[in-house]
Amino acid sequence: MIRTEIAIGMNGSMLDEHPTGAGVYSFNLINHLGDLDLDKSWKQITVFTPTSSLLNKDFRIVKLSDFLLSSKHGKLAAFCRFFWNTFYYPFQARNFDLLFSPTTHGSFVLKNQIITIHDLLALRYKNLNIQQTFYFKYLLPFIVSRSKLIVTVSETTKQDVIDFLNCPADKIEVIYNGYDHNRYNTRGENVFLIEKKYRVSNYILAVGPTLPHKNFETLLYAYKDLEEPLRKKHPLVIPGGKKKYTEYLKNLVQELNLEADVHFLGYVDMDLMPSLYREATVLVFPSLFEGFGLPVLEAMASGCPVITSNTSSMPEVGGEAVLYFDPLNKQQLCSALNNVLTNGGLRNALREKGLEQARKFSWEQSARSLKTIIDNQISNN
């Protein structure tokens, strides 16, 4: 039986006032767990965090130093998080029944912890980030061995944890990401904020040009192979990205003589991202590997047809609602683009299937899965 007065701690050392990626996942999962009708045997959830600005009000907050905030202190924050997790966390969290971390941050000492692994890209691709690679290669395996359970965001990442970290399959549970239903939906259609701001319409959207494994080169070569009238009607729009990789892509655009048809938007405010999906003719997501592939889900939920690579977790997210291609085959991608851009019936079918597929994912469902996992771990003690 589950014992009374369960003390649950949340390792929110990664939380930030301006969350991205794993930070968005962390806030949503913790907040939605707090929204559930928890069993009376649960004590008030405690969150260790440098910021509580985006958390529900009824958590017990253990305030950590502002030096853990990446938005303020950059790389220093990463070192401070490691220092806190290694030396302070074991002491501050020693009296909890179970500890959950929505990221890979954890203790080398505590055994009553569950950690989350979003992907192992640092082990798959060399030189992405030296510090991250060191942590994932030499330190994370030890934390995994000390943890009661590992949560991954896809079956793909689960298999990677088995293969790269020699973790038993029965020690891993999958909790899929959700998405913000209030933001990513079809309610804001026919507003055309992107057309008004950037003077583009009927565009092909490609998000996330951060690192080479995002595979935007294949997209540019495939786009070049489209007939010129089709390119003129459907410009390629690329928001955001990291400077080094986007500069490389801009040079490639010049080499391919695509300057008039490819638009790099730079940083796009998060409030505009739903409109960016809604107004697009199609999203193309050519990544070689993803732990989850959130843009595919956000696009489907916004009523945007999706073309995505057939690797890693993309089939888990897209199901039968998207058009797949081999990310190393530019001819396949060019053919898929041509089919979607010239076939309104196909676009409508992908849109409807995408909306239906997106309904399978929610943060509430993710939180319920986490609660079940925590309850099972406590009852098995």
Side-chain angles (χ1 to χ4, degrees):
M1 295 179 61
I2 300 177
R3 6 175 215 180
T4 59
E5 294 297 299
I6 301 169
I8 305 296
M10 297 282 157
N11 184 340
S13 58
M14 182 68 175
L15 298 183
D16 197 275
E17 295 169 351
H18 303 284
T20 59
V24 173
Y25 172 91
S26 302
F27 274 117
N28 277 290
L29 198 55
I30 294 172
N31 278 334
H32 282 79
L33 181 65
D35 288 338
L36 296 180
D37 184 17
L38 299 176
D39 190 284
K40 292 181 179 179
S41 64
W42 282 52
K43 281 185 179 178
Q44 187 178 33
I45 297 172
T46 299
V47 184
F48 300 89
T49 174
T51 177
S52 59
S53 60
L54 299 178
L55 288 172
N56 291 339
K57 301 296 184 181
D58 54 350
F59 292 119
R60 174 176 174 264
I61 302 298
V62 176
K63 181 70 167 62
L64 307 182
S65 169
D66 285 350
F67 281 104
L68 275 68
L69 294 172
S70 294
S71 61
K72 290 184 177 180
H73 301 287
K75 292 182 179 180
L76 175 62
F79 173 78
C80 291
R81 277 194 299 274
F82 175 75
F83 189 84
W84 178 80
N85 276 282
T86 302
F87 298 105
Y88 283 87
Y89 184 41
F91 175 76
Q92 291 183 283
R94 66 190 185 281
N95 294 323
F96 286 81
D97 293 294
L98 197 69
L99 300 160
F100 173 73
S101 173
T103 64
T104 55
H105 299 87
S107 166
F108 296 107
V109 177
L110 298 170
K111 294 183 178 181
N112 60 332
Q113 63 183 343
I114 298 172
I115 68 166
T116 304
I117 298 179
H118 295 262
D119 62 61
L120 292 179
L121 290 172
L123 300 182
R124 277 188 167 275
Y125 299 98
K126 297 181 179 179
N127 302 322
L128 293 186
N129 180 295
I130 295 175
Q131 293 85 1
Q132 191 178 58
T133 299
F134 179 84
Y135 181 85
F136 274 69
K137 186 174 183 178
Y138 297 107
L139 303 181
L140 182 59
F142 188 75
I143 293 177
V144 167
S145 70
R146 301 287 288 181
S147 299
K148 290 179 68 68
L149 196 73
I150 308 302
V151 167
T152 65
V153 297
S154 66
E155 293 290 343
T156 295
T157 300
K158 176 179 178 177
Q159 190 59 51
D160 272 1
V161 172
I162 295 170
D163 294 341
F164 284 96
L165 303 180
N166 297 314
C167 182
D170 59 4
K171 191 179 176 179
I172 308 171
E173 295 283 351
V174 176
I175 299 179
Y176 285 119
N177 285 0
Y179 69 95
D180 190 338
H181 291 237
N182 293 321
R183 290 171 57 83
Y184 298 101
N185 52 61
T186 59
R187 292 195 293 271
E189 289 182 321
N190 303 317
V191 178
F192 304 113
L193 296 178
I194 303 303
E195 183 175 354
K196 294 173 184 176
K197 182 176 179 63
Y198 296 104
R199 306 298 181 192
V200 292
S201 60
N202 302 313
Y203 53 85
I204 301 165
L205 176 63
V207 301
T210 53
L211 295 163
H213 75 275
K214 296 295 186 177
N215 192 36
F216 273 54
E217 303 92 317
T218 297
L219 171 58
L220 290 175
Y221 284 117
Y223 183 68
K224 173 67 175 180
D225 287 347
L226 289 175
E227 294 184 0
E228 185 174 358
L230 205 53
R231 291 204 310 269
K232 296 302 179 185
K233 183 178 180 181
H234 299 285
L236 176 60
V237 168
I238 303 175
K242 292 187 176 180
K243 183 177 180 180
K244 185 176 180 179
Y245 188 50
T246 53
E247 288 300 321
Y248 164 73
L249 294 174
K250 288 177 182 178
N251 290 333
L252 182 57
V253 166
Q254 289 182 341
E255 292 177 18
L256 297 175
N257 296 315
L258 291 173
E259 296 98 322
D261 303 320
V262 179
H263 303 267
F264 290 88
L265 302 187
Y267 174 77
V268 174
D269 190 277
M270 286 299 295
D271 289 339
L272 283 177
M273 285 304 297
S275 295
L276 200 61
Y277 287 121
R278 291 186 196 113
E279 295 180 41
T281 301
V282 63
L283 170 79
V284 181
F285 198 62
S287 181
L288 296 176
F289 198 93
E290 294 291 321
F292 183 79
L294 190 58
V296 173
L297 177 56
E298 292 174 341
M300 291 190 301
S302 303
C304 178
V306 175
I307 300 173
T308 188
S309 51
N310 60 5
T311 62
S312 61
S313 63
M314 267 69 86
E316 295 182 61
V317 180
E320 298 181 359
V322 305
L323 206 57
Y324 295 102
F325 69 97
D326 179 348
L328 299 178
N329 189 323
K330 71 166 186 173
Q331 288 82 14
Q332 275 192 24
L333 176 52
C334 182
S335 177
L337 276 169
N338 188 75
N339 288 341
V340 172
L341 295 176
T342 59
N343 189 333
L346 176 59
R347 290 197 302 274
N348 288 334
L350 290 174
R351 168 189 163 88
E352 294 305 317
K353 289 180 180 179
L355 289 170
E356 183 178 353
Q357 176 71 7
R359 295 188 190 102
K360 299 177 182 179
F361 300 86
S362 72
W363 287 120
E364 180 181 355
Q365 179 177 312
S366 302
R368 289 191 182 280
S369 297
L370 175 59
K371 180 185 181 299
T372 299
I373 288 171
I374 291 175
D375 282 339
N376 288 341
Q377 288 298 311
I378 293 294
S379 63
N380 289 334
N381 277 357

